[in-house]
Amino acid sequence: MTIKESVISELSCSDKYISGEALAEKLGVSRNTIWKAVKSLREEGFDIDASSNRGYRILEMPYIITEAGIRKFLPQSDNRRLYILESTDSTNNYAKDLARNGESGGTVVISDTQTAGKGRMGRSFCSPPKSSIYMSLILRPKMDIESSQLITSCVAAATASAIDKICGTDTQIKWVNDLFLNGKKICGILTEASVSFESGTLDFAVVGIGINVRSVLNVFPDELLKTATSIQDETKILFDRSEIIAEVITSVEKYLNELPDRKFLEEYKKRSLIMGKRVIVTKAGEEREALAVGISENAGLEVIYDDGQKEVLNSGEARILPT
Ligand code: BTN
């Protein structure tokens, strides 16, 4: 990271003033270097308040996603369409409308905020502006319905790998589609598909990915903070959303091309947070305790209930019980 990036990272982690001296000591540079970095950041549009006895505080960051910003990190040959929105109800809804009107596979819809972000099981997905990634990819893979059930787990492995590559993290997967960092959720994935009943194949799928990038500490409600976190809160670094988006796009494409060989399953298992843990399985509105023992060849969760009954779950939900 450059000194400027480190200064942004430090200041954006706190809503209090940080003295020039403290910043200089933390980053191992002189106070004059910090001042020059702040001056240059202000010229770039960062609204940084400087007070002679309290230090520096970021008031407003030009933390925006642009098409050029994303393309900078994509291969030059990549000519997919990118829709960059300031706000929409849900990028999945937007992408589904596009797909129904013939939009090609590969297109990605990204929004800075969502007014009705959707999670699994009819839940909502908290989508504040200027902080996270809300993106939906349109897929038109030539595959039967059975293989298409692997799309979500394949995208989970691809997204975890992309986040780790850019952020140097160690992301885990909680069956089936949640990504966790240090025991808390940083990313959720929601796949919605349109199936052709005549041919028994997938017409299109929309995979929506939500990644908490910037600190959620003063943003998410307290209840949500018990289970959710962000990349910045865990690493203390504010990463460029555009770079993560580009890496996720590239990684998802690579992993989905390899989906028929189920190559991603090994990585999915290695990253599994749930294996060997006691869980509460929710299925058709009923809850049962079980032990999670494995991941099947179809990315189902293998569990053993307390009465000894075994089951492979291909839908539903499993909540890890605290130890
Ligand atoms: C979950 O955690 O249950 C899944 C969350 C999926 C959130 C993403 S954000 C982009 C896309 N648009 C949505 O409305 N949802 C997905």
Side-chain angles (χ1 to χ4, degrees):
M1 267 205 289
T2 64
I3 296 294
K4 275 200 293 186
E5 285 166 340
S6 304
V7 169
I8 297 165
S9 203
E10 291 300 323
L11 293 180
S12 61
C13 267
S14 163
D15 55 357
K16 302 201 175 63
Y17 283 85
I18 306 181
S19 73
E21 197 178 352
L23 278 173
E25 198 178 302
K26 178 111 196 241
L27 304 182
V29 293
S30 68
R31 283 172 62 180
N32 192 35
T33 306
I34 298 292
W35 165 239
K36 277 191 194 152
V38 168
K39 195 164 163 273
S40 162
L41 286 166
R42 277 173 161 174
E43 280 158 16
E44 283 172 38
F46 287 83
D47 193 357
I48 300 176
D49 187 27
S51 144
S52 49
N53 46 9
R54 287 188 292 177
Y56 304 107
R57 188 164 79 99
I58 282 199
L59 302 175
E60 187 66 50
M61 298 222 307
Y63 195 55
I64 49 166
I65 298 171
T66 60
E67 175 158 1
I70 297 171
R71 293 218 181 271
K72 200 167 79 183
F73 298 105
L74 282 176
Q76 258 191 350
S77 55
D78 194 313
N79 56 6
R80 78 184 66 237
R81 266 196 96 166
L82 300 175
Y83 288 81
I84 317 286
L85 317 171
E86 243 176 71
S87 176
T88 185
D89 60 344
S90 150
T91 53
N92 266 29
N93 290 349
Y94 197 99
K96 280 194 292 179
D97 280 347
L98 288 174
R100 281 189 210 106
N101 287 312
E103 186 73 36
S104 344
T107 292
V108 187
V109 178
I110 297 146
S111 185
D112 185 57
T113 181
Q114 300 183 116
T115 53
K118 298 187 292 185
R120 282 181 79 224
M121 312 277 186
R123 295 191 193 112
S124 59
F125 189 76
C126 191
S127 309
K130 294 194 178 84
S131 68
S132 298
I133 292 171
Y134 316 110
M135 63 191 285
S136 298
L137 292 90
I138 298 175
L139 310 176
R140 293 193 185 273
K142 302 261 165 296
M143 58 175 78
D144 54 38
I145 305 293
E146 207 195 326
S147 307
S148 65
Q149 284 171 358
L150 289 169
I151 289 178
T152 304
S153 32
C154 185
V155 169
T159 306
S161 157
I163 292 173
D164 288 356
K165 183 167 172 196
I166 302 299
C167 311
T169 41
D170 194 4
T171 307
Q172 290 188 288
I173 303 174
K174 201 211 92 200
W175 184 84
V176 53
N177 61 351
D178 287 342
L179 301 191
F180 273 57
L181 236 145
N182 303 333
K184 283 186 171 182
K185 178 165 166 174
I186 53 156
C187 167
I189 298 167
L190 175 69
T191 304
E192 297 181 85
S194 166
V195 168
S196 157
F197 283 114
E198 267 168 41
S199 59
T201 55
L202 196 67
D203 185 11
F204 67 81
V206 163
V207 188
I209 307 172
I211 309 173
N212 305 330
V213 179
R214 193 171 178 178
S215 176
V216 290
L217 285 182
N218 295 314
V219 183
F220 279 4
D222 287 350
E223 195 52 34
L224 189 54
L225 285 175
K226 289 183 189 158
T227 52
T229 185
S230 72
I231 297 175
Q232 185 182 19
D233 290 317
E234 298 308 310
T235 62
K236 307 293 172 229
I237 299 171
L238 181 60
F239 288 92
D240 181 351
R241 288 182 293 176
S242 301
E243 187 174 7
I244 299 175
I245 291 169
E247 192 56 42
V248 169
I249 292 173
T250 309
S251 180
V252 166
E253 179 158 303
K254 175 172 172 283
Y255 277 62
L256 284 177
N257 282 338
E258 295 168 359
L259 184 146
D261 311 332
R262 288 166 161 64
K263 261 173 102 175
F264 74 91
L265 271 177
E266 269 322 298
E267 178 172 349
Y268 187 94
K269 286 180 196 168
K270 268 191 222 142
R271 291 182 180 276
S272 175
L273 175 71
I274 205 165
M275 218 101 89
K277 302 251 171 72
R278 289 200 59 77
V279 293
I280 296 192
V281 175
T282 311
K283 242 184 96 180
E286 244 183 63
E287 293 198 338
R288 269 177 93 183
E289 275 195 42
L291 180 68
V293 288
I295 301 290
S296 77
E297 278 311 286
N298 284 326
L301 181 67
E302 298 167 342
V303 296
I304 304 179
Y305 293 105
D306 290 350
D307 61 4
Q309 187 204 342
K310 291 182 182 167
E311 188 175 10
V312 180
L313 303 167
N314 290 305
S315 61
E317 203 169 38
R319 205 168 69 241
I320 299 176
L321 278 169
T323 42

